[in-house]
Amino acid sequence: MIISQNTLKWVMRFYPPLFFQRIWVQKFENEFKSCTVKLSKSFLNKNYNGSIFGGTIYAATDPFYALLFDQLMQRRGFKVRVWLKSASIQYLKPGRSTLYFTITVTDEMLNEAEQALKTVGKFVKAYPMEITNKDGELCATVMNEVYIRNLHQGETPRVAY
C-alpha cells in the first residue's frame, strides 16, 4: 500500500513494538529516500548498566530499510514483498543518552534493485547503518540485509491476517 510520509511517520511512532521501547521516527524525507530515527533512553529500555538495552538498539534498526524500499519500489510501479532477511550489530560504545540514526536510499541503490527485479525477480543486498549519541559519537554499527521479491514474476500475494 502506498502511504504518505507523514502518515507512515505517525503510524510508526505509535506502533507498539517501537513506541514502548521509545523508538521515535523523526521524519521520512525526499519521497521516502531518507528516514531519521531517535532512540530515547528511559526506564522502559534501560539496562542494569544504565545504558540503552542492546535489544532496543537492534529493534530500532529492523524495519526502516524494508519500509523505504517498499514505498520506493511501489512508486516505481512494482508490486513487491520486502523484508529484512538478516542483520548483524556491533556495539561500540554504551548508549548512555539519546541515540540517533539516519538511513538514505540513493538513486544508485534503487536502480540496482530495479534492475535485479526486472531480470532475476528478486534483490538481496546488505546496507550499513551507524547509530550515534547526541554528541555524534559512534555507538553501534549495523548491517541490514534487505530482501525484495517482484510479485509480478510468479509469487501470489498473501494476506497478513
Side-chain angles (χ1 to χ4, degrees):
M1 165 182 15
I2 292 178
I3 191 168
S4 76
Q5 292 179 148
N6 195 47
T7 300
L8 187 57
K9 174 184 75 175
W10 284 100
V11 167
M12 295 303 291
R13 282 180 173 181
F14 293 106
Y15 179 53
L18 301 182
F19 179 78
F20 289 109
Q21 292 189 70
R22 302 290 311 262
I23 300 165
W24 192 256
V25 177
Q26 290 188 299
K27 59 187 170 185
F28 287 103
E29 288 186 299
N30 302 324
E31 298 174 359
F32 285 106
K33 287 189 178 177
S34 178
C35 178
T36 302
V37 178
K38 175 174 92 169
L39 291 82
S40 299
K41 186 174 111 176
S42 80
F43 75 95
L44 294 172
N45 64 15
K46 187 168 65 168
N47 65 21
Y48 71 95
N49 289 316
S51 61
I52 296 176
F53 172 61
T56 296
I57 298 169
Y58 198 72
T61 65
D62 181 88
F64 295 104
Y65 268 117
L67 284 172
L68 293 179
F69 270 106
D70 180 65
Q71 290 299 310
L72 290 164
M73 297 315 291
Q74 285 188 64
R75 283 168 169 72
R76 288 183 169 212
F78 286 90
K79 187 174 184 181
V80 292
R81 178 168 320 225
V82 185
W83 68 82
L84 181 66
K85 184 175 180 182
S86 69
S88 64
I89 190 164
Q90 193 170 27
Y91 301 102
L92 305 171
K93 185 176 185 161
R96 299 199 190 282
S97 65
T98 300
L99 300 177
Y100 302 89
F101 66 88
T102 298
I103 61 172
T104 303
V105 176
T106 65
D107 288 334
E108 181 181 284
M109 292 161 68
L110 275 173
N111 292 336
E112 184 180 14
E114 184 173 349
Q115 183 62 30
L117 291 175
K118 286 179 179 177
T119 57
V120 183
K122 70 178 180 179
F123 176 74
V124 180
K125 188 159 184 180
Y127 296 105
M129 301 171 78
E130 293 185 340
I131 294 119
T132 59
N133 63 19
K134 63 182 180 182
D135 298 324
E137 299 169 316
L138 188 62
C139 293
T141 59
V142 180
M143 284 298 288
N144 279 355
E145 186 178 32
V146 178
Y147 177 94
I148 308 172
R149 163 84 52 200
N150 185 351
L151 295 181
H152 289 178
Q153 292 194 356
E155 184 181 344
T156 356
R158 296 186 191 133
V159 179
Y161 57 92

